[in-house]
Amino acid sequence: MVDGWLLLLIIYGYLSLLFLVAYYAERREKSGRSLVTNPYVYSLSLAVYCTSWTFYGSVGEAATAGLSFLPIYLGPTLMAPLWNIFLIKILRIAKENRITTVSDLLGSRYGNSIFLSALVTVVTLVGITPYLGLQLKAIMNTFSILAGEMSESFAAGWIITVILGIFAIIFGARRLDASERHEGLIFAIAFESIVKLIAFLVVGFFVTFILFDGFEDIFTRTQKSAYHYLLSIGAGTSVNYQEWASLLFLSMMAIIFLPRQFHITVVENSDLSHVSKAMWLFPFYLFLINIFVMPIAFGGILLGGSQLEADSFVLSIPLSQGKLFLVLLVFIGGFSAATSMLIVESLALSTMVMNSLVMPFLYRYDQIKSFPTLILNIKRGIIIGCILLGYFFAVFIGKFYTLVEIGLKSFAGVTIFAPATFFGLFWKRGNKNGAIAGISIGFIIWFYTLLMPALVKAEVLPDSSWLGYIMNSELLNPRALFGLKGLDKWTHFLFWELLLNTFFYLALSILTGQKQEEEKQALLFVESYSPRMLALKTNYNIQQVEDILGQYIGRVEAKNVVDRFLAQEGIHRTNITEHDLTRLRDEAERVLSGALGSSIATIIFEDKLTLTEQERGELSDSIKQITNTLRLSRHELAEANRNLANLKEFSENIIESAPVGIVTIDPHSRVRYWNKEMETISGINKEVAINRQIHPLLPWISRKAWQEEQLEEMVVQTPSRQTIKINISTFKDPSGGLVAILENITERKKMEEQLLQASKLASLGKLTAGISHEIGNPLASISSLVQELQSINLDTPEDQEFTKESILTINSHIERIAKIVRSLGDFARISSSEKTLINIADILDRTFNLVKYDKRFKNIEYLTNIEPVPPIRINQDQIQQVFLNLMLNAGDAMAQGGRLEVSIKSVDSTVEIHFADTGQGIDDQVINRIFDPFFTTKPLGKGTGLGLSICYGIIKDHQGTISVKSKKGGGTTFIVTLPKEE
Amino acid sequence: MNRNNEVWPFLFLVGFLLFNWPFLEIFSGSLQFYLFASWGFFILLIGILLAILTKKEPK
């Protein structure tokens, strides 16, 4: 036994130590050397989750129901991986929108609704009261275990409650805080987390390794005892799998929605990056503090303890062993666990009550003298009130339930906010009506299925009369609503609460509309949209902002806030810009939100700094514009997306189906696109070609060809003897690069060559008559001379002379014939495609040597005017073909005789050859068509119409030009230009 | 959601499976050891993934 006054002294001493720790941390913060802005303190402060429920209740639960205590800690561990997604989102939104409580979060999301905020506050207050009672019950129980008599314990309970209330005020309500963050409190909570962890580990070590021989010993002995069922879950044990899953879910929601958890996790967070460390540090803390729960629980039973008193095994075991130091350490640990919860929870609750229930009525009375002091005193009163509510619950109802049972009721209570919160963060259509309906029905289910049976059991509510009749009915039994039996009470509650809550939330959100304010807030929350874009013109000044702030937090504090802001931004009071003034107002609103809640702070500033009609209009227009722009329906977007995809596919099909190779390269010569035809031309697949350098893929195209300054059409031969025409041009895409079109003209080239050959033979054919005459004459002469030679003797000198002269003549004729045949042979052979440097005048001579045999040229005067020109690179057979065609056409035009004048001259970078005749000329109506294939003015059978089109093709191949000037009856001049060699 | 964020819901699902039926039924023979071992492993996995993803993030 320990003296009660000693225990009170220890309590007082420990609380004073906590206060000093908090004070030290605040001093460090003011001097700019904060102890709190690091992830380790943040993670330790999250351990406020571990209350006397963990310290005592878990052991009690393990001793009575085995492993069912564990889901309470596995749940937060399971949620930790998701913090990177939704907790970060909540943190950003909270900081951006100056949110300080869960009621603020929901009220703000659903159109800054004060009613919803108030509803959430009432639900939380009712839901958390049992949890507050749990802590006080644990403290009073442990006090009575150590100090003994119940009556003194009752008085001690009162004293402890009052002391805790005072300390809660000292920690959280010394002043109407300008900032929602309390560095001193956080550091104290982190300190307490270490104290309770050490205390539990020490007593756990003592029981496991001093009183027993380790984990193996305890579990083996338990397995062999009548309590072996405590080591299992499922059928035949105290907890089945569905209850296990329900408990897991409850704790997953609790780690977010319990007011103290929200306050520490969200409001007290100083840096988003701390969340990453906390994601594993906090679960690790939970792991450590639970290692010895089962050894202590089973150890207590094995040492003869009663399962009914298992909640206090942590204390009673060392007490029974006479380890006073350990007992006091455990007492402090347990007290620490309870205190941190009570202080933070009451602070969070008081902020909710102030912001959502009190200030909406009170803020209009800011003209009351000492208004800030009034607000502060009200907040202090609310803190005391919360703790007292917990006390009354502990005294009148708590005795009927274990700590865990009480705590789980509170866990279940905050689960009510889950649908409205999660849908609210990710679904824009969720509206206020849905949230109110969902939360209301959820609260009714919670109250009816969980709290009311407790109130009836504690005889706070009568069991008889109409209430008892309803609760005992088949349809409305709180343990089996609508006849649904076979579920444990937590699963039963969760099923109906989530089903009806979600149903009503979704139904009303879909069936009812949103007001403009709700739409705007939905955008802010779901899209994490920064509200700064809606900044307005200012019609207020610094002093006005300071005055408004001063009305609620005091003049001195308000001046400090303004001065601090101006100093941080380097702004002078007399020289503040409109933009900076808006930011000052934002800062002032943020500060006031910490004291009064964001909704009220917004109203105060909007009320005091009245918007002009124009500004209201501008604000309304801004919001309308944004919502209209963003109102492009999913359907329209999907439709646009489909059209885009179809267009893309269509364009790609065109390119893939094209009978030419298309390749695009980027500015670094890497292939970006390679169509199907390119695979055929190059033999290289698209997958191999993409992102490769173009040169190794197409080595038969010179590198110079890909240089942008030298883009031109060219014809190349591939190693596989394909003739490819290539057009390279600049790619008109923002990414730049080149696009090359490759056309396989091998077959066309072959056909052209065959056509050329046919044309040559056709030309030859025209010359046949003249040539046969030219060959026939000398042959006839040769024949005649041979006959004469056969008949003479070579006796006389005259005969010898005749023979000599005849042989010379025959030789001359043979040479002449040979020359003609050679010319024909040279002309008729299949021409090569090679271009060589040659004197154009030689080609002209050779051509004339052919045509002169034509009888038409007997009557034609042939004149030449050849100026000195440099040799040019041409295919001599093809150019001879052109000259022959032009000369024969001239001959056709001068059937009755005339003059053909051919001149060659140099003009700039070209050589010009003119073929001017004095023939019948060409009609104006047909002159533009003479180069068209198969166009002829000659009677049917006399011309194919291909001669000039072949000439045109040949000259174009030589990068030259061919043109015509003619006048009907006035002759025709063909002008051929060929480029000089560079 | 970028690839980094996809890891976390996946890890959540892994944990959900580890801490529920049927794994609890499979390891019912030594459930307390299984639960603490898998709990420790899950925390370790969170830590390792955080270390890897933090390294991958551009500065």
Side-chain angles (χ1 to χ4, degrees), chain A residues 77-78 81 84 241 244 276 287, chain B residues 8 12 15 19 25 36 39 50:
Chain A
T77 304
L78 208 49
N84 240 347
Y241 289 117
W244 173 276
S276 295
F287 178 85
Chain B
W8 301 115
F12 168 79
F19 301 143
E25 182 66 31
F36 275 86
W39 190 3
L50 275 167

Side-chain angles (χ1 to χ4, degrees), chain A residues 929-963:
Chain A
R929 297 179 59 195
I930 59 169
F931 294 111
D932 290 350
F934 303 108
F935 178 79
T936 180
T937 55
K938 290 176 183 159
L940 192 66
K942 295 291 181 189
T944 59
L946 284 174
L948 282 177
S949 95
I950 289 173
C951 292
Y952 183 87
I954 291 169
I955 299 301
K956 197 156 170 298
D957 265 351
H958 284 77
Q959 277 81 51
T961 61
I962 179 167
S963 56

Side-chain angles (χ1 to χ4, degrees), chain A residues 268-299:
Chain A
E268 297 286 355
N269 174 276
S270 59
D271 191 332
L272 293 185
S273 66
H274 293 172
V275 172
S276 295
K277 196 75 91 183
M279 275 167 69
W280 67 270
L281 260 182
F282 174 59
F284 184 58
Y285 181 96
L286 297 177
F287 178 85
L288 286 177
I289 207 166
N290 279 283
I291 283 180
F292 292 113
V293 168
M294 284 191 295
I296 295 173
F298 301 155

